[in-house]
Amino acid sequence: MKTKKVVMNAEEIDRSVTRIASEILEANMGAEDLVIIGIRAGGMFLAKRLRDRISRTEGTEIPFGILDITLYRDDILTSNRKPALGKTDISFSLDLKKVILVDDVIFTGRTIRAAMDALIDFGRPKLIQLAVLIDRGHRELPIRADFVGRNLPSSFWEEVNVCLTETTGNDEVVIEEG
Amino acid sequence: MKLSSKDVLGIKDLSVDEINLILDTAESFLEVSTRKIKKVPTLRGKTIINFFFEASTRTRTSFEIAGKRLSADMVNISAATSSVVKGETLTDTARTLEAMNPDIIVIRHSAAGAPHMLARLVKQSIINAGDGAHEHPTQALLDMLTIKTEKGRIAGLKVVIAGDIAHSRVARSNILGLIEMGAQVTVCGPAMMIPRDIDKMGVSVSYRMNDAIKDADIIMMLRIQLERQADNPFPSDREYSNYFSLNSRNIKMAKPDVLVMHPGPINRGIEIAPDIADGVKSLILKQVTNGVAVRMALLYLLAGGA
């Protein structure tokens, strides 16, 4: 039987987003040249929340895009699982921009590798920084996040799910095993 | 989700779910062609052969661009410059190509069923790029994508297909697909260009443009295939044009927001008036753009994944 444990509630998620937003502004000394790109599907709502938070604090509209990494996956020709191709929507050049890449969970790092390859096709950013809500470890590539909501040691076979009001109706992070 | 067959031979074999999968995937691919760097690495190391026994600009180029934007290696063969002129049979040519281990073979042939024969013969995926007067599934898919992106839906729309229905593989594939997706289809043309019993495909038949076009959401004009008209089915281009062209007068019978399509190449002034072909209601060039996305979707769905 599957057991389910809530590891972050709505309030904790909200506080993490607020903290990450100020860390991003602190590290980049403001919002100049900042753009926020969310990875579909998990990262895109978090990215939007971060964008809204930063835009409000700075009183300026931060450009926002959505990236689908399916076409850049390293298992697309070998895996039997075929994820549905989603839309990418980045309507501006990334040339000389400071790109904040956002995902919900970082695990093996393979998604982020694919995302970075995809981003480079939209221009040559000044830098790319990674923000995630959960770092669950088990990296298979030399990649780390710049901004982390919570480090969550997990077993490889567990599932860590970030549920957000935009999709499931409530904000919580759960670990499922079994 | 995946396609159930290794091949795409006709709309007839595709379920509603499969058509929706192809259209949704194609919609996501539209964006790739708007980028500055119009290339994704997805089909790196895949080989696709474009094998065209009949003349073609848009379909062949469209497949080639689609494959290249997915990073596949594209090889073009036309019958005129291949061993076909030395008398090699289709079977032998196919086995030869198979031995070079491509992943997908795209074929256009004047004989209906040629792609189907190839599909049984070789292990590679076969895509039908037009076989005789039988089917042209990728054209119908790009037409359906165009209707869906422009009108937001296909079901419930009134679509008129006008011209030489009998010789048209585009008409046949579109009728099959549009009916399956819930559109209401009317065909129109001179009596000798409308196959007997076509109503059994679920379409209404009309022999007068004004009647057919009434309340149409979409009018799809077909090219009068002068090269297939050896037996002169109508007295003159002028007479055909008088009765069956789409022009600024008869288009008023359609809905005010009617959109006009044509698979190309157009015979300007014969089946379609130039001001309609180039006008604001025309989707002709959008169809071409969408064709690349549909073909990218098919190549991706057939070659991507184990």
Side-chain angles (χ1 to χ4, degrees):
Chain A
M1 204 191 99
K2 265 196 173 180
T3 58
K4 189 172 135 179
K5 196 172 96 193
V6 177
V7 289
M8 261 179 119
N9 61 27
E11 213 176 303
E12 290 167 311
I13 291 175
D14 192 59
R15 274 201 289 265
S16 274
V17 171
T18 306
R19 176 174 54 76
I20 292 172
S22 25
E23 281 178 4
I24 289 171
L25 285 171
E26 187 186 14
N28 292 287
M29 290 178 286
E32 204 183 333
D33 294 330
L34 225 55
V35 304
I36 297 201
I37 306 281
I39 297 176
R40 187 182 284 276
M44 99 191 162
F45 297 113
L46 273 176
K48 200 155 185 314
R49 289 186 192 188
L50 270 175
R51 193 277 301 258
D52 292 346
R53 204 70 54 104
I54 294 175
S55 296
R56 212 175 327 133
T57 315
E58 293 294 296
T60 163
E61 198 68 3
I62 308 290
F64 170 73
I66 296 167
L67 182 66
D68 185 282
I69 59 114
T70 310
L71 298 171
Y72 293 82
R73 293 176 70 102
D74 57 9
D75 59 353
I76 197 81
L77 298 177
T78 50
S79 165
N80 244 324
R81 235 180 94 245
K82 174 144 277 179
L85 180 64
K87 278 184 196 143
T88 291
D89 181 11
I90 301 176
S91 54
F92 41 86
S93 163
L94 298 184
D95 280 337
L96 298 172
K97 297 293 182 198
K98 297 176 179 175
V99 177
I100 310 297
L101 183 63
V102 183
D103 205 357
D104 51 356
V105 180
I106 183 165
F107 184 25
T108 60
R110 289 176 190 268
T111 298
I112 304 304
R113 193 284 307 162
M116 287 194 289
D117 276 352
L119 286 180
I120 303 299
D121 284 353
F122 288 86
R124 184 175 187 274
K126 187 178 171 63
L127 55 83
I128 299 175
Q129 292 170 343
L130 176 63
V132 298
L133 186 64
I134 304 288
D135 182 347
R136 60 172 292 192
H138 303 285
R139 216 74 79 237
E140 292 169 1
L141 294 172
I143 284 171
R144 65 167 182 80
D146 300 271
F147 310 102
V148 180
R150 182 171 299 184
N151 285 296
L152 190 69
S154 62
S155 116
F156 190 87
W157 305 109
E158 284 170 331
E159 254 183 68
V160 176
N161 289 319
V162 174
C163 313
L164 296 173
T165 48
E166 290 90 334
T167 49
T168 55
N170 62 319
D171 274 1
E172 61 181 17
V173 179
V174 296
I175 286 195
E176 291 178 78
E177 54 190 323
Chain B
M1 201 191 138
K2 284 201 235 183
L3 298 177
S4 60
S5 164
K6 80 172 172 66
D7 312 296
V8 175
L9 301 174
I11 298 292
K12 194 164 175 274
D13 313 317
L14 296 173
S15 67
V16 171
D17 284 347
E18 286 177 310
I19 292 175
N20 277 323
L21 172 67
I22 295 165
L23 299 185
D24 290 346
T25 308
E27 241 181 291
S28 295
F29 271 119
L30 280 170
E31 177 267 334
V32 175
S33 294
T34 65
R35 296 182 190 177
K36 230 193 292 181
I37 297 176
K38 302 180 224 348
K39 202 178 193 66
V40 292
T42 319
L43 296 188
R44 230 157 21 106
K46 297 281 177 182
T47 306
I48 299 168
I49 295 182
N50 248 342
F51 197 8
F52 278 66
F53 283 84
E54 276 186 289
S56 164
T57 319
R58 66 207 72 222
T59 307
R60 192 180 55 77
T61 313
S62 184
F63 267 112
E64 185 170 355
I65 287 180
K68 286 185 169 169
R69 288 192 181 158
L70 286 167
S71 297
D73 295 308
M74 298 295 301
V75 180
N76 285 306
I77 308 172
S78 63
T81 55
S82 71
S83 289
V84 172
V85 293
K86 298 181 188 166
E88 191 173 49
T89 65
L90 181 60
T91 306
D92 287 331
T93 310
R95 292 228 168 89
T96 306
L97 295 179
E98 182 185 29
M100 293 185 221
N101 264 324
D103 297 281
I104 297 180
I105 300 175
V106 179
I107 179 171
R108 166 170 291 187
H109 201 285
S110 56
H116 305 68
M117 189 193 90
L118 231 63
R120 285 190 299 270
L121 202 67
V122 303
K123 61 180 184 297
Q124 282 81 11
S125 292
I126 303 291
I127 299 180
N128 180 0
D131 61 328
H134 180 220
E135 276 230 45
H136 192 349
T138 62
Q139 178 70 42
L141 288 165
L142 76 88
D143 289 338
M144 289 191 273
L145 175 65
T146 307
I147 294 172
K148 198 176 158 218
T149 53
E150 294 300 314
K151 291 282 186 190
R153 68 196 164 104
I154 296 172
L157 295 181
K158 180 179 173 185
V159 183
V160 176
I161 306 178
D164 184 357
I165 307 294
H167 289 96
S168 175
R169 56 194 175 208
V170 175
R172 197 171 320 276
S173 289
N174 261 310
I175 290 168
L176 289 166
L178 289 167
I179 299 268
E180 195 176 352
M181 300 304 281
Q184 205 192 318
V185 180
T186 300
V187 296
C188 179
M192 65 280 190
M193 290 184 170
I194 308 273
R196 198 182 305 159
D197 291 339
I198 187 134
D199 51 313
K200 289 194 176 134
M201 292 182 85
V203 302
S204 327
V205 180
S206 174
Y207 301 101
R208 293 166 57 95
M209 278 297 270
N210 281 358
D211 298 343
I213 292 173
K214 198 165 177 302
D215 297 327
D217 295 288
I218 299 282
I219 304 171
M220 211 179 265
M221 298 306 296
L222 301 175
R223 186 173 67 93
I224 284 302
Q225 304 189 32
L226 302 163
E227 75 275 17
R228 289 190 215 270
Q229 309 289 354
D231 46 345
N232 291 328
F234 48 81
S236 72
D237 294 353
R238 178 94 166 267
E239 175 160 333
Y240 182 84
S241 173
N242 279 340
Y243 286 101
F244 294 102
S245 79
L246 183 65
N247 53 51
S248 51
R249 290 182 308 279
N250 60 18
I251 200 170
K252 293 200 181 88
M253 302 297 293
K255 287 205 181 131
D257 61 349
V258 69
L259 294 171
V260 177
M261 302 171 70
H262 191 302
I266 62 176
N267 296 309
R268 262 172 199 277
I270 300 182
E271 71 265 358
I272 188 165
D275 57 328
I276 299 295
D278 305 329
V280 290
K281 293 178 185 304
S282 170
L283 298 175
I284 296 176
L285 294 178
K286 218 162 253 175
Q287 287 172 268
V288 178
T289 304
N290 290 345
V292 174
V294 157
R295 290 171 181 123
M296 286 173 86
L298 288 177
L299 297 178
Y300 167 72
L301 290 169
L302 291 179

